[in-house]
Amino acid sequence: MSESAGGGAPLTPPLTPNEAAVLRAAGDAPEPLTALAPRAGLRPDQAQSSAEGLVARGLLSREEEATVRLVITDAGRAQAEQGVPELRIRRRLEQGPATIQEAQDLPGLDKAAVGAAFGALKKAGLVVVEGPQVRAAPGDGWAVHEAREGLLRRLADAPEGLDPASLEPALLQDVEARLPAKRGKKGGEPFERQEARARRYAITPAGAVARATLGAARPEVAQLTPQMLKDGSWRDVSFRAFNVAHPPATPSARRNPYRAFLDQVKQTLLALGFEEMTGSVVEPEFWNMDALFLPQFHPAREIHDVYFVEDAARPGECVFAREIEGGALEPVALEHEGQGRSGSRGWNYAFDRQRTKRLVLRSQGTVLSARALQAVKTPGKYFGMARCFRFDDVDETHAPDFFQIEGIVSSERTSFRHLLGLLELFARQVAKAPEVKFVPAYFPFTEPSVEVHMRHPDLGWMELGGAGIFRPEVTRPHGVEGTVIAWGLGLDRMAMVALGIKDIRHLFTNNSPEGLGSLRLK
Amino acid sequence: MPHITFPMADLRALAGEPALSLDDLDRLSTLVKGELKRRHSSEAEAKVELQDTNRPDTWCVEGIARAIRQRRRGQPDAYPCFQGDAAPAGTIEVDASVERVRPFVAGFVARGWTVDEAGLLAFISAQEVLSRNFGRQRKSVAIGIYDAARIAWPVRYLAAPLEAREHAFVPLTPPNPGDARDGAGRPIPAARWAERWTPGEVLRDHPTGREFAAALQGADRAPLLVDAAGEVLSFPPIINSQGLGRVVAGMTELFVEVTGTTLDQVLLTANVLAANLADRGARIEPVRTVYPFDTPRGPEVQAPHPLEDRRSIELEAAEARRLLGEPDLAADEVARWLAAFGLDVARQGERLRVTTPAYRVDYLHAVDAIEDFAIARGYEALSPLMPEEFTVGALAPMTLFADLARERMLGLGYEEAIGNLLTSVDEVRQKMNLGERPEDAFGALHGGPLVRIQNVMNRNYAVVRDWVVPTLLEVERRSTGAVYPHRVFEAGEVAAWDASQNLASRTEQRLAALLVHDKAGFSELQGVLDQLLRSFGLAFGDGYQLLVRAHPSFIPGRATAIVARGAELGVLGEVHPEVLTRWGLYSPAVAFEVRLDALRGVVSGQ
């Protein structure tokens, strides 16, 4: 491991080009950015953050002063161009006689504002109503409006505004009456008051030292190009600092997390010496059930337990395999009927040799083991990860189809105690849970049967799987004389915990709520 | 698998263990392959799930108590009622008319036990669980219980026309008669419960009749039990009569009958119920059934029945030693534990003859007794042994090949998806602009016809996918929130309909990829496919070709068949805007799908 950055002195990054420019332009006397920025070749807003950066490094000093400025509003700008309403009314009346309505018909002005101005003029005696006619009267009162119009014109060219204290008292009173009220509607007022902090910057002694070490300004580039490398011009440029605050979104290629989980299990089984079995998802009842000694009248074989395959040529009808391969049918049928090689009493019924060929969607991974018995090596260890299908409502505990992980161990020397050892090994290697307990269980094709429960690091006691020794009725029809252990692991819940999901359907990308990227292996 | 609930007090009384705790039960329920449902249990009432479908005798509080009792005493309880030598308390005369409908009936009389609430509840629980889980919703087994004191013997078992008025009877009133509705949804007036109903009326209008009508499996006649006075006992497997068929606490003479379609199943059920009532102190008296037709056990069959031909097996102690992996196990120890498990054991040296009690006939082979021994002694007595033999682990060749392809797709920047195989016709056909006729097939990539489920439960999961591109489009439909561009692939199984195959189908491995972004085009994905095939040694031109070939899922002129050395490997094309629109996608998409089995064949020169 390399040394981490923590603990050492904080790194001082080099000055950005803008910071260098501001530092060069800064003077010994405090001055506002409006003065400083143009000398640095920057806009005041660009210079602001650089100046603050330099303050933080102790290269500039800053003083602050609260100021009140009077600035023009958009409405004020319009008045600066077209005149204030009072003077516009006068100009209108100077053109000739007018009615009250005509006197107030001033394009571009709000009726209420004109009305208020007209009312005030009338009250001050500056306009006189004579019958239907209105006329302007001379008077000192006009002066303040003229002064205000002049002020507006000045303010229109002074974006920084001006200090209200510099105004004549009469004008100041008039202006203050026209500032937006603190409360109530805002809108047509020509002025507003801005309270600002004026910041002024000056170079510090440390800044002066730093400035002395700054090189001459160099052109700044964003991207190194092949041309720059060829002609060596990279020596004459500086590279723009990058922004690390926003990593770009980059699509990633990765294994599907559930598949990755299954891959891990597969690797573990390989390491334990297991050989993989694969098979068809369509199987006859024979391999799916009969070869596993599940009697044809068993309640778990009714229409509501397995999916039958439909004959594409005869809609609504089931479809059957033409044959059961390897001559396995008759020996298995005889076991069911109590006449088989194992010496079993059998199930005491007439085995249906046609029904056994009916095709179903594989409902249990043990099918692979049943088929493997036809050519099993002794000793041999086998596993399969079989996609299985059950007649069930699809909900948060039932995916439309799911994986079963199971297999067999065939040996002359193996015993039930070896089976328990194998299960212990699975708990340790596959599930990382060293503590297990064994309880009796029932599976139609194994005797003795056992369920293994383990103490999962996160989940507490849970079922890891079921296992047993294949009944002789299952092995003998295929000529297998030795002992065959059959085992199955239920890993879905473990996968769900590892992936942090509560709905089993979400293990599959095409049934997960957000599709890609919704699963992350914890 | 059955779940049963019972008062702990009843279990303690039957087991003869007044201090039995829930923890004790948790431990001891392994004797009956039971699992205590902790969350639904208390010291007052326990819920247990029973696993062994071959041991219906364990699906009741009496069965659990029996296992505990016998293990404590170390020997089987005696059940004289299974000797088969007592004189019958009555006779059931079977009429030939039931042969086609529900041929078998067995019964017995229980005297000397005064019905109490706990016993009645336990009986009803056993009755329900047995007829549901063992009798397939009463189809093959149904149970009735009656006040024997008022029955006039012999009882007749006959099948009457459904609308026969002469056998109309007053059926048991359902638990909430006020809420009951008839078959047409009308309320049933209170007076109706006191009237007589024909069997047909029961099936049509009585709530219980409607619930269980399916158990008759469409028979056009109603099985009836009628006593010598013409009084109807019941209409099996549907309902008892309100007269003789209503049992309450305080009664002291009971008649229990079981009807069904398989004689031995009927007899075994009667035996289980007889043992249960005997455990409560009843004296069991047999009833003889006389058939006018032949049965597997002759024309006259008495219940409880010894079923002696199905109860014994021979066990060599060596076989137990070998199977369990205990070279030092003594025959005597096996015999001792089997006796404590309720089995009758006769030992001759190394050879044991093990006989089950008549309430269980699940011994098919010596291995069954070996497991009973292991359970009786407890699995904790078996110390695990590590596997001793060396074997070589290996992946299937196809898995290895698919894993290589997956790795390469990851290296090419594609994210892996994993899809379900069950899907809808809509997804793999209609939305893909395809039909289901044979001519809608595209080479061997996908068919027209599909592997369809005959007993569909949900239309969304009615077929097995026969290509993977639709799965990826569904993934894309759900992924519009993920950062673009989308580059996704799946290596997975499909099943294609193929009438020429023995299994009418081919299960194949596929690799499909989908590229989606604003400027997604043919050549970008073609480059990916080319890299993939090149990595397997197939170069464009000599190794493989792309032949422009129309496919309705892709833009005309922009769909190609991937062909290598004469084998059709799959398809590459720009997804048709019509297809994108049907999926609700608004970005161009390009896809390919390769048949990995065929590719592997080409690569390995097969």
Side-chain angles (χ1 to χ4, degrees), chain A residues 256 263 273 276 302-303 306 308 310 322 345 401 411 416-418 442 449 451 471 483 509 511 516, chain B residues 136 312 322-323 325 363-364 368 371 379 383 389 391 394 396 399 406 418 420-422 452 454-455 479:
Chain A
N256 173 272
D263 283 349
E276 191 187 20
E302 302 226 1
I303 182 156
V306 290
F308 302 118
E310 185 176 84
R322 278 196 293 276
R345 183 172 277 130
D401 44 74
S411 163
F416 194 61
R417 286 174 67 197
H418 289 101
Y442 175 75
S449 306
E451 236 171 43
R471 297 187 66 94
T483 305
T509 330
N511 275 304
L516 289 176
Chain B
R136 297 159 63 232
S312 295
R322 188 189 63 78
L323 202 65
Y363 271 19
L364 305 181
D368 295 302
E371 187 191 72
Y379 279 5
S383 55
E389 285 164 316
T391 56
T399 306
R406 288 169 61 203
I418 177 170
N420 283 114
L421 267 57
L422 278 190
R452 277 176 172 268
Q454 186 261 349
N455 51 334
S479 301

Side-chain angles (χ1 to χ4, degrees), chain B residues 578-603:
Chain B
E578 179 69 45
V579 172
L580 293 174
T581 305
R582 288 181 191 175
W583 285 91
L585 298 176
Y586 297 98
S587 195
V590 196
F592 74 68
E593 179 157 342
V594 173
R595 299 173 57 222
L596 285 181
D597 309 73
L599 175 61
R600 184 171 159 258
V602 168
V603 170

Side-chain angles (χ1 to χ4, degrees), chain A residues 309-319, chain B residues 436 452-454 497:
Chain A
V309 178
E310 185 176 84
D311 189 343
R314 297 179 305 148
E317 301 290 321
C318 288
V319 63
Chain B
E436 284 185 82
R452 277 176 172 268
I453 293 170
Q454 186 261 349
W497 176 262

Side-chain angles (χ1 to χ4, degrees), chain B residues 14-333:
Chain B
L14 284 163
E17 303 226 8
L20 191 83
S21 70
L22 219 50
D23 285 338
D24 296 331
L25 175 58
D26 193 13
R27 189 169 39 82
L28 290 165
S29 52
T30 57
L31 293 174
V32 289
K33 296 185 185 174
E35 188 191 339
L36 178 69
K37 296 289 165 186
R38 278 266 177 194
R39 240 185 298 166
H40 304 282
S41 298
S42 64
E43 291 290 339
E45 193 174 72
K47 181 171 186 174
V48 175
E49 178 182 5
L50 285 316
Q51 274 202 6
D52 195 335
T53 51
N54 277 344
R55 289 286 308 276
D57 60 296
T58 62
W59 304 347
C60 48
V61 60
E62 294 90 343
I64 298 173
R66 192 179 298 133
I68 296 173
R69 202 170 56 224
Q70 291 176 337
R71 190 165 190 274
R72 185 184 67 241
R73 296 180 47 232
Q75 59 183 25
D77 290 340
Y79 288 93
C81 61
F82 297 130
Q83 300 297 332
D85 50 5
T91 300
I92 302 173
E93 292 174 356
V94 177
D95 189 86
S97 57
V98 297
E99 189 176 4
R100 278 187 315 108
V101 183
R102 192 173 183 86
F104 304 112
V105 61
F108 61 85
V109 171
R111 280 188 229 275
W113 169 62
T114 306
V115 177
D116 56 36
E117 283 302 327
L120 191 57
L121 278 177
F123 187 91
I124 291 167
S125 165
Q127 179 182 29
E128 281 176 1
V129 169
L130 287 170
S131 50
R132 184 177 60 231
N133 295 65
F134 188 59
R136 297 159 63 232
Q137 313 283 358
R138 301 193 184 181
K139 279 190 199 108
S140 50
V141 168
I143 298 159
I145 183 169
Y146 312 88
D147 179 11
R150 291 187 288 136
I151 293 174
W153 296 96
V155 168
R156 278 187 306 141
Y157 181 51
L158 54 93
L162 291 175
E163 305 306 333
R165 279 249 69 100
E166 57 165 317
H167 293 304
F169 66 102
V170 181
L172 271 184
T173 309
N176 298 306
D179 302 338
R181 306 259 155 182
D182 66 15
R186 293 172 303 229
I188 299 174
R192 182 73 177 107
W193 303 116
E195 291 171 9
R196 284 149 52 96
W197 304 47
T198 64
E201 287 167 346
V202 169
L203 294 179
R204 277 193 304 277
D205 290 333
H206 194 287
T208 314
R210 285 162 52 207
E211 184 180 351
F212 291 104
L216 266 181
Q217 306 185 75
D220 57 353
R221 291 173 87 90
L224 291 171
L225 284 162
V226 186
D227 82 351
E231 186 90 3
V232 172
L233 280 75
S234 68
F235 166 20
I238 309 295
I239 197 165
N240 273 13
S241 73
Q242 178 77 7
L244 296 175
R246 193 165 156 273
V247 171
V248 293
M251 291 180 175
T252 56
E253 280 182 58
L254 299 174
F255 170 54
V256 175
E257 56 76 19
V258 183
T259 59
T261 50
T262 308
L263 179 57
D264 275 13
Q265 227 185 339
V266 166
L267 291 172
L268 177 66
T269 307
N271 287 359
V272 169
L273 296 169
N276 288 358
L277 292 177
D279 284 350
R280 292 187 181 274
R283 194 172 66 250
I284 306 299
E285 295 175 6
V287 168
R288 188 177 52 178
T289 303
V290 181
Y291 293 92
F293 45 84
D294 199 26
T295 82
R297 293 191 183 274
E300 282 193 18
V301 187
Q302 192 158 305
H305 194 284
L307 297 171
E308 64 284 329
D309 51 327
R310 296 183 58 187
R311 287 165 48 198
S312 295
I313 53 100
E314 301 281 337
L315 169 63
E316 295 285 347
E319 185 60 11
R321 287 195 280 268
R322 188 189 63 78
L323 202 65
L324 296 175
E326 293 187 280
D328 301 328
L329 187 62
D332 190 49
E333 190 185 354

Side-chain angles (χ1 to χ4, degrees), chain A residues 183-432:
Chain A
R183 256 181 259 151
K185 79 165 191 176
K186 268 185 171 183
E189 293 83 358
F191 304 103
E192 70 187 345
R193 191 202 302 268
Q194 272 184 358
E195 285 166 23
R197 258 191 254 279
R199 291 178 172 177
R200 296 196 293 179
Y201 299 90
I203 197 159
T204 63
V209 172
R211 178 159 64 188
T213 65
L214 284 175
R218 301 198 294 177
E220 190 181 68
V221 298
Q223 175 72 49
L224 179 64
T225 64
Q227 187 58 40
M228 287 156 73
L229 287 165
K230 277 182 202 150
D231 60 21
S233 62
W234 61 270
R235 296 175 198 280
D236 304 325
V237 301
S238 65
F239 293 93
R240 189 172 301 151
F242 42 61
N243 181 357
V244 294
H246 300 286
T250 304
S252 73
R254 49 174 199 148
R255 284 195 291 171
N256 173 272
Y258 182 40
R259 181 65 88 182
F261 175 88
L262 296 173
D263 283 349
Q264 277 171 19
V265 175
K266 219 154 61 174
Q267 286 304 325
T268 308
L269 291 170
L270 279 182
L272 296 176
F274 284 83
E275 192 176 323
E276 191 187 20
M277 313 177 281
T278 59
S280 167
V281 299
V282 175
E283 285 282 8
E285 287 193 25
F286 180 84
W287 291 113
N288 196 64
M289 294 173 273
D290 296 332
L292 293 165
F293 202 52
L294 196 65
Q296 290 177 320
F297 59 78
H298 195 277
R301 297 186 59 163
E302 302 226 1
I303 182 156
H304 295 309
D305 294 291
V306 290
Y307 285 125
F308 302 118
V309 178
E310 185 176 84
D311 189 343
R314 297 179 305 148
E317 301 290 321
C318 288
V319 63
F320 295 79
R322 278 196 293 276
E323 55 159 353
I324 301 302
E325 312 88 324
L329 194 154
E330 208 48 35
V332 167
L334 291 174
E335 291 294 344
H336 282 248
E337 291 175 338
Q339 311 292 322
R341 294 172 192 158
S342 74
S344 168
R345 183 172 277 130
W347 287 116
N348 200 20
Y349 74 110
F351 186 83
D352 185 336
R353 286 161 172 77
Q354 179 57 23
R355 176 181 162 180
T356 193
K357 295 177 189 161
R358 179 159 58 176
L359 295 178
V360 301
L361 295 185
R362 176 168 65 198
S363 72
Q364 49 184 350
T366 324
V367 182
L368 297 176
S369 304
R371 278 188 177 271
L373 287 174
Q374 284 191 300
V376 73
K377 286 179 288 198
T378 303
K381 297 200 199 102
Y382 300 85
F383 82 99
M385 258 182 208
R387 194 75 76 111
C388 299
F389 307 80
R390 294 266 167 89
F391 192 95
D392 259 323
D393 275 319
V394 173
D395 59 25
E396 60 189 12
T397 58
H398 299 90
D401 44 74
F402 55 97
F403 284 100
Q404 277 194 345
I405 301 163
E406 35 187 295
I408 53 177
V409 176
S410 151
S411 163
E412 298 289 351
R413 298 215 305 260
T414 207
S415 69
F416 194 61
R417 286 174 67 197
H418 289 101
L419 164 58
L420 301 184
L422 181 70
L423 294 174
E424 237 180 48
L425 204 56
F426 283 155
R428 254 205 323 263
Q429 300 296 325
V430 179
K432 317 289 177 229

